[in-house]
Amino acid sequence: MQRAHKCKYNLAIGTILTKKYKGQIYQVTVKNEKEYEWENTIYPNLTVIAQKITRGHVSGPKFFGLIK
């Protein structure tokens, strides 16, 4: 079975995403297509990380500037 929503961005393993939010810099490392590392913890997607950072509902790809 194929995924309903295909990934619109293709990030190489090892890519570091950087986001400045409320004066603090956050960095996330791409481990593979479905694993992202932030603060020594692996997460399944960017949205979970973005929501932990903002403490609200936000799109991870949009938060990190991958989509408009």
Side-chain angles (χ1 to χ4, degrees):
M1 184 172 190
Q2 293 193 8
R3 294 169 53 184
H5 301 284
K6 292 196 177 208
C7 187
K8 294 180 182 178
Y9 47 90
N10 189 10
L11 301 172
I13 294 171
T15 299
I16 298 174
L17 302 172
T18 302
K19 173 69 175 186
K20 186 174 183 180
Y21 179 73
K22 293 190 175 182
Q24 190 168 350
I25 296 175
Y26 297 91
Q27 292 188 322
V28 173
T29 304
V30 178
K31 292 300 195 180
N32 65 49
E33 185 180 334
K34 295 183 180 183
E35 289 186 345
Y36 303 88
E37 183 178 4
W38 176 59
E39 294 187 334
N40 299 317
T41 302
I42 302 294
Y43 294 92
N45 57 57
L46 292 172
T47 298
V48 174
I49 297 169
Q51 290 176 350
K52 286 184 175 285
I53 291 170
T54 64
R55 295 187 181 128
H57 181 73
V58 64
S59 162
K62 190 171 184 178
F63 179 79
F64 285 100
L66 300 176
I67 59 174
K68 294 181 181 181

